[in-house]
Amino acid sequence: MRKLIDLPKAWLAGMLLVAWWQGRYHPMGLSFGPVWADLLGGLLVGGGLLFIALAVAEMRRARTTVMPNEEASQLVTGSVFKLSRNPIYVGDAMILLGLILYWDAVPSLVLLPIFVWVVEKRFVEKEERMLRRKFLAQYAKYSQQTRRWL
């Protein structure tokens, strides 16, 4: 069970489950509106999936791991990594927000900052320490030029 908790996608899946449940069974009379929320939600989910796919492709091209708790063999700074040091997590957050909009789960918007905080504390900070130790000046320069999120 501990290994499952140590995966960002497990946290995303848990938040998505809560948002779906809340939107489906406890809407609390709140709504984003019919058309624009579905459209924006779909665009966010699609954009998030694209962001993740581009990041994974770039990491594969560099022959480094995509697993959050493993040590990277290369510092990846191209493609979507020029926009964010954590494009996979940005994609996850986009998917969460998009599905909250699509499911019309207004109270579940509170899950987005919680998800970002959990990912940052459980994964991002640890990954950044490992990258800082391994890639020293190269990572310091990259982190000054590129934002953590967006």
Side-chain angles (χ1 to χ4, degrees), residues 39 44 52 56 68 73 87 92 120 123 128-129 131 138 140 144:
L39 177 63
L44 282 166
I52 292 168
V56 169
S73 59
D92 289 343
E120 192 163 306
F123 305 102
E128 287 184 346
R129 279 192 301 274
L131 291 170
Q138 186 183 6
Q144 287 174 345

Side-chain angles (χ1 to χ4, degrees), residues 75-87 128 131 135-149:
L75 180 62
V76 181
T77 60
S79 183
V80 292
F81 287 91
K82 290 179 181 178
L83 301 172
S84 170
R85 296 194 313 255
N86 298 289
E128 287 184 346
L131 291 170
F135 299 106
L136 305 170
Q138 186 183 6
Y139 183 76
K141 181 180 178 189
Y142 173 61
S143 65
Q144 287 174 345
Q145 294 172 340
T146 308
R147 293 179 190 199
R148 180 181 270 174
W149 292 95

Side-chain angles (χ1 to χ4, degrees), residues 46-64:
L49 290 171
L50 180 62
F51 227 58
I52 292 168
L54 291 171
V56 169
E58 191 68 15
M59 293 174 86
R60 293 276 188 235
R61 208 171 298 125
R63 292 193 166 97
T64 193

Side-chain angles (χ1 to χ4, degrees), residues 2 11-12 20-21 26 35 41-42 52 55 57 68 99 115 122 130 136-137 144:
R2 172 128 167 85
W11 286 94
L12 176 61
W20 173 83
W21 174 83
H26 299 285
V35 178
I52 292 168
L99 288 172
F115 175 75
R122 284 194 75 86
M130 290 188 324
L136 305 170
Q144 287 174 345

Side-chain angles (χ1 to χ4, degrees), residues 1-137:
M1 184 66 158
R2 172 128 167 85
K3 285 193 181 247
L4 184 63
I5 291 174
D6 277 342
L7 293 174
K9 296 299 186 235
W11 286 94
L12 176 61
M15 300 279 180
L16 288 172
L17 182 64
V18 169
W20 173 83
W21 174 83
Q22 180 275 304
R24 173 92 182 202
Y25 297 108
H26 299 285
M28 300 179 191
L30 301 170
S31 178
F32 293 116
V35 178
W36 77 268
D38 289 351
L39 177 63
L40 183 57
L43 289 172
L44 282 166
V45 170
L49 290 171
L50 180 62
F51 227 58
I52 292 168
L54 291 171
V56 169
E58 191 68 15
M59 293 174 86
R60 293 276 188 235
R61 208 171 298 125
R63 292 193 166 97
T64 193
T65 185
V66 296
M67 295 305 293
N69 293 321
E70 295 179 7
E71 186 175 304
S73 59
Q74 299 289 325
L75 180 62
V76 181
T77 60
S79 183
V80 292
F81 287 91
K82 290 179 181 178
L83 301 172
S84 170
R85 296 194 313 255
N86 298 289
I88 293 174
Y89 300 142
V90 169
D92 289 343
M94 290 170 68
I95 290 168
L96 177 59
L97 178 57
L99 288 172
I100 287 171
L101 290 172
Y102 184 76
W103 292 328
D104 214 15
V106 177
S108 289
L109 283 172
V110 71
L111 295 174
L112 187 62
I114 293 170
F115 175 75
V116 169
W117 181 81
V118 167
V119 165
E120 192 163 306
K121 293 300 174 193
R122 284 194 75 86
F123 305 102
V124 171
E125 290 177 358
K126 187 186 324 179
E127 290 172 12
E128 287 184 346
R129 279 192 301 274
M130 290 188 324
L131 291 170
R132 198 173 295 115
R133 272 194 303 264
K134 184 163 186 171
F135 299 106
L136 305 170

